[in-house]
Amino acid sequence: MERYTYEMRPSFARSIDIRNCRNVSVRDIIIDDSNDWSMRITGCDDVDISNVKIFGRRGNSDGIDICGSRNVTVSDIFTRVWDDSFVVKALDTGNSENILFKDSVLWNDFARPIEVGVELRADKVRNVRFENIDIIHSTTGYPLMGIHHGDRAEVSDIVFNNIRIADAPGAQLFDIRIADSVWSRDT
């Protein structure tokens, strides 16, 4: 992806962008230097993502963004990204439900390693679990984990379990925020 500049995003935005699919499996790949979110799963059902390594050195080079999808398992992932590593959103593509991130290692150079939000445009975002995850680097002071809500979804049953943290001087451990943001669209 290093050939695709930031300005080329309208044509070549994401390394992997899976939309409105069922029974998806993504395994055993490396994503290097996406010029936007590295992997976006939108409006999908029954997704399994495992043994993926993601390296992103640019702004907005998120790791894995699960958007308005259901029954998703993300496991055995390594990220070293400039932006967020694991994110759950809902972009008017249905509820985000039954999502599990587990057994992974996250290195963030700028933004949040683990986040629910900020774009939560759905009726519900629920039953989201982050388990057995090592955050090994995050030095900018941003919250390491959080729920950030500026749209309409009812958010419930979000679990953070067995999250280990190293090399995060000055970082806030966790925050929950309900506030408008630049990304909010709902009134």
Side-chain angles (χ1 to χ4, degrees):
M1 291 298 291
E2 63 273 1
R3 287 184 282 203
Y4 301 109
T5 65
Y6 181 84
E7 293 76 23
M8 297 171 77
R9 287 167 87 184
S11 301
F12 302 100
R14 294 173 186 90
S15 294
I16 296 178
D17 195 8
I18 300 172
R19 297 185 221 174
N20 305 315
C21 295
R22 295 175 103 50
N23 302 317
V24 174
S25 178
V26 178
R27 299 178 180 273
D28 307 322
I29 64 168
I30 297 171
I31 298 172
D32 187 31
D33 203 27
S34 185
N35 68 348
D36 197 66
W37 300 352
S38 298
M39 183 184 304
R40 181 175 72 170
I41 308 297
T42 305
C44 294
D45 292 282
D46 302 310
V47 177
D48 181 54
I49 301 166
S50 65
N51 194 31
V52 173
K53 293 168 184 60
I54 300 172
F55 302 92
R57 294 175 292 282
R58 305 186 227 192
N60 223 31
S61 64
D62 287 17
I64 298 175
D65 292 74
I66 306 299
C67 304
S69 294
R70 291 135 312 271
N71 306 314
V72 178
T73 299
V74 177
S75 64
D76 302 304
I77 308 299
F78 175 81
T79 67
R80 181 175 182 182
V81 296
W82 189 83
D83 213 321
D84 308 311
S85 283
F86 287 164
V87 185
V88 175
K89 297 180 181 284
L91 304 173
D92 285 318
T93 54
N95 294 338
S96 288
E97 301 176 296
N98 307 321
I99 300 167
L100 171 62
F101 293 89
K102 67 177 187 170
D103 304 331
S104 296
V105 177
L106 311 180
W107 175 312
N108 282 72
D109 288 317
F110 181 69
R112 293 167 182 85
I114 298 173
E115 180 172 28
V116 175
V118 68
E119 297 150 299
L120 299 179
R121 296 188 292 275
D123 292 329
K124 299 192 182 296
V125 174
R126 64 182 172 193
N127 194 24
V128 178
R129 299 182 64 86
F130 300 91
E131 297 182 347
N132 195 35
I133 296 172
D134 292 297
I135 299 171
I136 64 170
H137 181 85
S138 185
T139 59
T140 61
Y142 270 100
L144 301 174
M145 299 171 275
I147 301 170
H148 304 107
H149 196 345
D151 288 299
R152 72 180 183 275
E154 176 185 306
V155 178
S156 64
D157 301 312
I158 311 298
V159 176
F160 301 84
N161 186 38
N162 202 23
I163 310 295
R164 293 169 300 277
I165 299 163
D167 193 25
Q172 182 179 348
L173 179 62
F174 189 87
D175 77 336
I176 296 176
R177 224 177 276 182
I178 299 173
D180 286 336
S181 77
V182 67
W183 299 281
S184 296
R185 299 293 179 267
D186 291 337
T187 56

